[in-house]
């Protein structure tokens, strides 16, 4: 036991009336909600990077956090791992996620970085065994080091492509070794700062090629987890190629990978792309590429990827409603890609931020499940489109032509009368479950 | 001759030093720029809707323009047509574009609306003969009338789908009859206000079906023009399905229509989707779906589709640069989807707004052509990616695997050194052509 | 009784477990919350314009609503008044608000418009007597008619200034006659579309002059209500002078009117200005100019003034918390400056939208009151600043100079250690009251 | 001479036809434009922080620049100073600007930091003597160090206030010693992350107090330069108190400092606040608080303070037009608060970015001057408001009341007819000078 969280108890469920900061008021892991325990619906994961690797800097200021593991040594990395798994257990999160760069010191060479990673992976394997905490997904950090400043797969320099591919291999190997359930690709530098120096056609081919190599390696190794792309429109890059779910879908179709790859959807990235979180979730479901979620909360107004801990239960309810309509998670889960505000310096802040986020998710899930079970919202939706299930609708979708439509409208003097969309009434209905 | 433009002369080229408001300073139609006359590069079109059908309203105020043709009668429609063709000739624009609802009064029935349209089309045919002004594209207004309030193809009511299909047939027929070079689909109401009452999966199928019917009708009629979708993220609808070029591409791929349909890209819609105009143009080119452009200028800050007349030559230069890199327009052209500010009440304003816009386009085209001919920017771009043309780069794109990359990086201790992206230097270079 | 709301019952409180759409689940008018009945805290008002004068148009489509009173006649205006007061009674809102243009047909002359208004005011007076519904505020519509297209007080044409002043007089007279508790000025056209044709200095003087005249008239007539400016950054005008609370404050100070005029703060306008609603409320309180609120909900992402009915209780809780911290409303209240979505066609939609909004306000108020009574949040805030209440802090605020600070820091080797801002912990705390 | 800029020549004017990257095409320092040399209009300054202290990090990546002076020692600080003054001379900029933290290593104590600063100031004094380069303004960095994470003047901890005051004293002393022409205050951390832990009223008083102390010290020391506040709405802080020019004005009025303090307006900050640069400039001029400018270019779409080098001449023309209308700079100037893109690694990039920016400013200034001398735009503006110079307009501004306006409108049946705002025509006119 380290003493980082000294005095902080393991968090347990005490119910809505508890006024204990260090307790869950909604998240009751074993409580059954529509057929399975909440923990199996939510499949919470903590993110190594924000909680243990980020030091509190922002564009106008440096480190604010003062953590004993902030140095680029293996000893520090081990201490960090100890503290991380202590947090996972305090919170009772069943999963965690990591990038290579979060967990091991950068080596002087690729070989050394790889060796460092392997050592930490061995330590993780022991901790996983000891604690039962599992790996939701692994990923490669191909954006922080200056070698990636102009892209990883989409770099103008083929050496960077090769370096990135090699790095991905080490991270997929680590993920496989640790029994990870997914492997994630987020292309933070896959995009451009200015079109003036960018060959978008080439870069698109490079990105497609890298993804194919990843899929090939998955099959070769027999990895059973999902390969997930995490869309984001911008930040750090001015334009990122994986802009949003619809863009990723077009890319997958272009390279014939739509059955091989799914998406990891982040609330904040949805917002930055001009969408709601629930839009991205619903679209992924309809396109058959829904995989997992990065739960957080984005400032609507700043344009920055704020990665705040989520707390708005009505909004989260709409998100989990779409997750439930998608059939829930299979390999995916709820990863807190969320970081403390840089003024939240204390170990207690780190725990409480997760407690609040987990509780808000649980409250949202319960409301969503009740709404779905109750069936009123779905009944209203079905009724609105009922005409399409009738013969005329089916004919339009299968047999009609512009000419037959023209003939019918003319013959029957069709003049459609609009009927109410009932938005406010449905919004009131949703509020009833909160 | 009507007297609407009384006293306004035909606009001719007088050169950069002219201080005549009613003259072109840059647009010299027959002047050859990289191999063909400016008029054949730019292929200007005026938009019927903004110039002749819009009355100056905004969300907080009604009509400000006082036009003698503002009434829903055939006589008014004829007067409007007279004035419109007078404007086309004053400006010397070779093309125009229209929606059915711009040019004919709404009838009491579909039959009457169709008859009204046919009468106006006959008048247009005569005017086209008489003036040489041609039709760049036609389209159907499936968004203004309340029957379309919940969508056209994507309406929950199949009758609206049928009505829309019938309307599209009449507009494609009109386009074909008038020798139009493209047919455009803009789905202003194809989207949703709230997910709560929306079945996104159904609506997507409906939209795909309608597009297939349009393509079928094109082939059946032997129409040689292009079918174009105009992307837009929102406004009037909160979320529109044809969000941007990348989204449309995914949709086309999903329905197997990527070789049948191209895009009509509007500056303002690019901005609203979080992109630059040149991004959307470049992407469409790389995806092989570049068709035509709606030229205008959007306020960057308001979030409204402001459809202002363009005037920022440096920005327009970047747009025409991408058009030229795409090989220029084939069936497409430069349509001014731009409207007067609602305080610009006078006939003179209508002419001068177009004069300024045409001149800015011409200046942008000339700068873009000079930049492309000079070759410095393309040489810099090519040099940046030269490694990909060498053997190593080609191998990576065709033969490499994650494992071979890993082995090579390890063996050769590859440690890529970043090199400057030179963005400011390239921005300076662009300014040299302005 | 008209038959517009036929079949719709008066809305009563049934408690949180009710599944009756036509009942309040949270708003229990007589229920006492921190010392007074909810109705006296909330002081709900319905807005005549959105509910009875708006016809459902948007920038790409016309009227969707089909109301029997949509014609510019006095008979229609009387029917509209009948329906409006029926709605006020069905909902049990104690107040309403109106512009002149909402309630009377525009006359052919100013005299006729004035006469029309006076007739309606007489009718309102009777209805107020009969129903007990009261006037929260009146205001003049100086933005819809084309005469105001370039501004009202800030118009380049002095005649428009005079016309506007004359109109304001009629609206203040109406407000006074009806016992209105406030008079509101919203300068929808006071601003500019382009700086190129705008004399900002002159327009500022004109605006200041008009406000002085309004204040003078208030004193001359003995009107006891508050004069309120409603800030908004833009829409319809590209830039509006009354951008936000801070801007209005500077303007009031410049003209020496900061003790005469307060602000009516709208949620949607706060959002459009880049603020939260609670920011604007807190700032107005600190500046001593808090007056009243326009409750609604703005889309965070579109940039349009969407004026939706509010439904996000956590956000509304933060707003009412600031209202309570300001001591609650005196002359002000909660006006629903909110409109139906244009697809919400039915009379039922109009009622239910208000029911949902009122319920959400009530839920927010109750949570805010509990949070304030509990005192934990205020205790945390006070503790954070405790140093400023001690001698050192008081000295800094009254006696210190840069030099004394320099000397002290040097002498005592002051090196401040930051302490946690505890944001997530406080966010969790807020969620406990919801 | 260091060898950092080895091989880079001093930049001289070669005229528009030069194709030398390392030459000015527009900036000809001694060329007279409306009565004085361009250098005296523009008064260019280079910013120490972006060019010499920033290492290329962004929210997702670390240092990209590799500069020999990147270490926290006095030797490195001296090397940095050498290189900086070499750049000033290569570019021929007459001024520079700095924060304390840009130029000296942070000491272990306040005393040591102060001593470090004083040593560098002595070096600067020698260099200023030797080169003729002057100090446009100095300022204190009260935002980067973690001690300022919760604010400087507005910190909940009075010790931080004291530390900030002491630091300001050292920076004002440095500015005075170096003959600086202004002293700037930018409150990057004066604001809040969340209202929940913020006492806005207290913080406002603290900020007012600090500003008063600064003004007092200016008078006490006899400093003749201007005290300037630099407004910014957000970043790094979620909400900054000095939001924009209008907000700062209200603050100054509240504390009676509107005659003591002016504003330093940054293009990027104007954009972030939802304004145009020219709006902020024009407003400051009308309010009598225009001081100086930070020239750069902000991405319109990202919401980040991108601080790019400016290059859009049409936009910059509108900015310098407002500067000229304000009478030009007195103590102020054109400071390039602009940084290289993080991929622009080379010393050449640093020079060329400034060259391009200076040239764009010069082109904008020349166009603005021509437009102002020509007088057409001002004549159009004056004509639009001519009615206000006549007797009626003057009466309205001085004698009228709501009642006299009402009487006159009624008596004369005033019914104002709107006239065209001619926006597009004026936009065309502006383009004529470019
Ligand atoms: Co994420
Ligand atoms: Co994020
Ligand atoms: Co368009
Ligand atoms: Co548009
Ligand atoms: Co309002
Ligand atoms: Co509003
Ligand atoms: Co600045
Ligand atoms: Co900046």
């Amino acid at each position: 036991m380290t003493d980082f969280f000294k005095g902080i108890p393991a968090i347990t469920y005490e119910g809505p009336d508890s006024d204990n900061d260090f307790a869950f008021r909604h998240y009751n892991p074993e409580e059954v909600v529509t057929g399975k325990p909440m923990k199996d619906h939510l499949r919470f994961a903590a993110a190594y990077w924000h909680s243990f690797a980020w030091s509190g800097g922002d564009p106008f200021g440096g480190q604010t956090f003062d953590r004993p593991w902030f140095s680029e040594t293996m000893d520090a990395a081990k201490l960090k791992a100890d503290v991380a798994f202590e947090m996972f257990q305090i919170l009772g999160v069943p999963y965690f996620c990591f990038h290579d760069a979060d967990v091991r010191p950068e080596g002087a060479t690729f070989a050394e970085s790889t060796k460092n990673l392997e050592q930490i992976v061995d330590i993780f394997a022991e901790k996983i065994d000891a604690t039962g905490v599992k790996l939701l997904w692994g990923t490669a950090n191909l954006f922080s080091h200056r070698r990636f400043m102009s892209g990883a797969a989409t770099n103008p320099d083929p050496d960077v492509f090769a370096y990135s591919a090699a790095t991905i291999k080490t991270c997929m190997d680590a993920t496989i070794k640790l029994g990870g359930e997914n492997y994630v690709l987020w292309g933070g530098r896959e995009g451009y700062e200015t079109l003036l120096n960018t060959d978008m056609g080439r870069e698109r081919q490079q990105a497609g090629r890298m993804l194919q190599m990843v899929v090939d390696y998955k099959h070769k190794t027999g990895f059973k987890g999902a390969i997930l792309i995490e869309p984001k429109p911008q930040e750090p890059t001015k334009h990122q190629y994986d802009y949003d779910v619809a863009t990723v879908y077009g890319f997958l179709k272009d390279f014939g990978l739509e059955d091989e790859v799914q998406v990891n959807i982040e609330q904040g990235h949805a917002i930055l792309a001009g969408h709601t979180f629930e839009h991205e979730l619903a679209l992924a479901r309809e396109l058959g590429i829904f995989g997992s979620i990065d739960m957080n909360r984005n400032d609507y107004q700043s344009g920055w990827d704020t990665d705040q801990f989520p707390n708005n239960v009505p909004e989260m309810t709409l998100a989990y409603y779409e997750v439930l309509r998608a059939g829930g998670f299979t390999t995916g889960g709820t990863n807190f890609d969320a970081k403390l505000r840089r003024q939240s310096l204390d170990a207690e802040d780190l725990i409480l931020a997760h407690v609040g986020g987990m509780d808000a998710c649980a409250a949202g899930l319960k409301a969503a499940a009740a709404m779905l079970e109750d069936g009123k919202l779905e009944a209203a939706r079905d009724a609105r489109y009922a005409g399409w299930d009738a013969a005329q609708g089916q004919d339009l979708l299968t047999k009609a032509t512009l000419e037959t439509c023209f003939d019918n409208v003319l013959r029957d003097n069709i003049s459609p009368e609009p009927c109410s969309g009932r938005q406010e009434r449905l919004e009131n209905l949703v509020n009833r479950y909160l």
Side-chain angles (χ1 to χ4, degrees), chain A residues 49-50 137 186 230-232 264-267 269 293-296 305 307 335 337:
Chain A
W49 50 99
H50 283 320
W137 47 263
W186 172 61
E230 181 168 334
K232 190 176 181 187
N264 181 42
I265 304 174
E266 179 177 318
Q267 198 269 3
H269 301 179
I293 67 174
D294 268 14
M295 179 53 87
N296 56 24
D305 182 29
D307 287 344
N335 174 46
D337 193 355

Side-chain angles (χ1 to χ4, degrees), chain A residues 125-259:
Chain A
E126 289 166 27
K127 288 182 178 288
I128 284 173
D129 267 1
T131 62
V133 175
K134 290 175 288 181
L135 178 63
L136 187 65
W137 47 263
T139 186
N141 179 325
L142 303 176
F143 48 89
S144 292
H145 195 279
R146 68 196 287 271
R147 75 173 64 88
F148 302 118
M149 76 176 196
S150 306
T154 64
N155 202 290
D157 178 357
D159 273 354
V160 181
F161 180 99
Y163 195 100
S164 303
T167 304
I168 291 172
K169 179 184 177 297
T170 65
C171 292
M172 288 184 73
D173 289 346
T175 301
I176 292 166
K177 176 156 188 190
L178 295 173
E181 305 192 14
N182 308 269
Y183 184 80
V184 166
L185 300 138
W186 172 61
R189 302 280 177 202
E190 313 295 23
Y192 62 81
E193 295 304 319
T194 174
L195 264 183
L196 296 180
N197 69 10
T198 302
D199 189 324
M200 199 195 279
R202 282 184 191 267
E203 295 201 359
R204 188 174 175 86
Q205 290 307 314
Q206 294 168 214
R209 175 68 190 154
M210 183 69 87
L211 187 58
Q212 183 65 58
M213 284 163 61
V214 167
V215 168
D216 290 347
Y217 193 65
K218 168 189 153 131
H219 290 304
K220 175 148 185 209
T221 56
F223 176 52
K224 294 297 170 221
I227 304 295
L228 304 174
I229 287 180
E230 181 168 334
K232 190 176 181 187
Q234 54 180 26
E235 197 192 297
T237 304
K238 161 62 187 158
H239 178 87
Q240 287 174 223
Y241 294 131
D242 299 330
Y243 201 81
D244 57 7
V245 168
T247 301
V248 169
Y249 178 72
F251 177 80
L252 293 177
K253 288 288 288 186
D254 199 15
F255 290 91
L257 294 170
E258 70 272 18
D259 297 329

Side-chain angles (χ1 to χ4, degrees), chain A residues 264-283:
Chain A
N264 181 42
I265 304 174
E266 179 177 318
Q267 198 269 3
H269 301 179
I271 299 299
L272 290 172
H275 308 300
T276 58
F277 193 17
E278 59 267 27
H279 168 84
E280 290 287 83
L281 294 167
L283 181 59

